[in-house]
Amino acid sequence: MSSCCSPDGRPSEHGHATAPAQPGTFNLAVPAPRAAADAGHADVAIPAGTFAMGDPFDEGYAADGETPVHHVSLDAFRVDTTTVTNAAFAAFVDATGYRTESESFGTSAVFHLAVAADRSDILGAVHGTPWWLNVRGADWAHPAGGRSSWEELADHPVVQVSHNDALAYCAWTGRALPTEAQWEYAARGGLEQARYPWGNELHGVADDGSAVHHCNIWQGTFPTENTLDDRFLSTAPARSFEPNGYGMYQTSGNVWEWCADWFLPKYYKTCAAAGTVENPAGPSIGRGRVMRGGSYLCHDSYCNRYRLAARSSNSPDSASGNLGFRTVALP
């Protein structure tokens, strides 16, 4: 395992598993793609339109390339209302015999307060990000280690899945990962240049003056104390909190979501120079694949990436306990 660092030199909050010599492979004897509804997908129609993509507040990390804001035009598509759940991924594995990359590698990254494994299976901390532990036996079916099971979290997002694993699932369902532009357009839920899917303020205020939480992120002092004000230490069920204007759940926080694009920070400058860009598929090269949405570990003291415009990346074979995906289809 190795670690990723945020642009300001502090370790970022997502784990990064480095591939061994033999990567996971898609089972060649794969059944024909199933209809989306049969595969457990509830999705919504996203209308065609043009939107301003990027950070209008200029508050992201400069090295992430969230600016300049540029206009993007997209055709209509359909998108999952939630990230793919453990139950849906289990159906895929049962039907195909697919073996994820974390299973092939034998280890994956688990947040230190969430580990459920024998002490002998904890192989050490990730260099530079000591809150991530390299845990033998951690994979999608055992997201926190050998003493955990997806069956206890059937309605939670599947995690410990690489970009390659997500593509294998998409091939089975006949769907695709969203492009980064599709993801941001849909995640905004129709709000123009808002900071979050619900508006510009992180918290609402209840009648008694207490904070109303709209997403699953870290509260307290990271990475040692989580006050659990939003009730969750790690993943929340995929339909927790209120949906955005299009009916999509948790596009801020809970788990990072893989997108189809390669990550290249200067790409937005290229788009802005071209004027309105139609259906961008991202750059042809990059230093990893795009991740969007932030996770339950994000905190504004070091990882302010649960904003709608925020971007990050990881290598396609990486997996961790806070990284999942959702899928799209043409209407």
Side-chain angles (χ1 to χ4, degrees):
M1 305 223 357
S2 61
S3 64
C4 295
C5 289
S6 66
D8 59 0
R10 294 172 294 174
S12 69
E13 51 92 6
H14 49 277
H16 181 151
T18 302
Q22 297 296 323
T25 56
F26 192 87
N27 189 322
L28 297 179
V30 178
R34 297 171 59 172
D38 189 34
H41 287 264
D43 64 6
V44 291
I46 306 299
T50 300
F51 78 111
M53 184 173 181
D55 176 20
F57 303 96
D58 196 20
E59 59 190 3
Y61 300 109
D64 285 353
E66 294 180 24
T67 58
V69 174
H70 55 286
H71 286 88
V72 172
S73 178
L74 292 172
D75 295 338
F77 61 98
R78 301 191 66 86
V79 63
D80 292 339
T81 57
T82 72
T83 48
V84 173
T85 63
N86 282 310
F89 199 81
F92 159 61
V93 171
D94 285 346
T96 64
Y98 180 77
R99 185 172 173 81
T100 62
E101 294 196 293
S102 291
E103 290 172 285
S104 296
F105 301 164
T107 69
S108 198
V110 180
F111 181 63
H112 74 114
L113 296 182
V115 172
D118 293 338
R119 183 178 296 274
S120 60
D121 287 333
I122 301 173
L123 305 181
V126 176
H127 177 69
T129 52
W131 49 87
W132 282 112
L133 300 179
N134 186 14
V135 178
R136 181 168 45 228
D139 53 48
W140 80 269
H142 310 91
R147 292 186 177 182
S148 64
S149 171
W150 74 267
E151 294 175 322
E152 299 169 353
L153 306 166
D155 61 347
H156 287 231
V158 66
V159 294
Q160 304 292 9
V161 285
S162 69
H163 192 271
N164 299 324
D165 296 332
L167 291 178
Y169 177 90
C170 288
W172 180 63
T173 59
R175 296 172 68 85
L177 290 177
T179 65
E180 186 176 15
Q182 287 177 325
W183 189 96
E184 184 172 326
Y185 179 54
R188 290 187 173 280
L191 293 183
E192 283 289 329
Q193 295 189 297
R195 185 176 279 117
Y196 308 112
W198 53 87
N200 288 328
E201 300 300 321
L202 181 58
H203 301 299
V205 181
D207 292 341
D208 63 1
S210 61
V212 175
H213 293 272
H214 297 293
C215 61
N216 176 19
I217 56 176
W218 188 273
Q219 301 91 46
T221 303
F222 186 85
T224 57
E225 179 189 7
N226 190 327
T227 59
L228 303 180
D229 291 348
D230 63 11
R231 299 177 290 131
F232 302 104
L233 173 65
S234 58
T235 60
R239 289 182 179 270
S240 301
F241 304 98
E242 70 274 18
N244 72 5
Y246 289 144
M248 295 170 63
Y249 290 84
Q250 301 200 83
T251 54
S252 285
N254 209 27
V255 296
W256 285 100
E257 300 181 24
W258 286 117
C259 291
D261 307 33
W262 287 105
F263 180 76
L264 192 67
K266 65 182 181 181
Y267 181 65
Y268 280 18
K269 293 181 180 179
T270 302
C271 292
T276 299
V277 183
E278 295 185 3
N279 300 309
S284 59
I285 59 172
R287 66 187 190 201
R289 294 289 184 175
V290 170
M291 306 188 311
R292 284 300 204 114
S295 83
Y296 59 81
L297 295 181
C298 277
H299 187 271
D300 62 6
S301 68
Y302 80 102
C303 180
N304 186 20
R305 292 192 179 94
Y306 41 84
R307 296 167 296 105
L308 288 168
R311 319 169 67 209
S312 194
S313 68
N314 223 331
S315 59
D317 57 8
S318 292
S320 64
N322 65 341
L323 178 53
F325 67 102
R326 75 179 74 213
T327 71
V328 299
L330 297 179

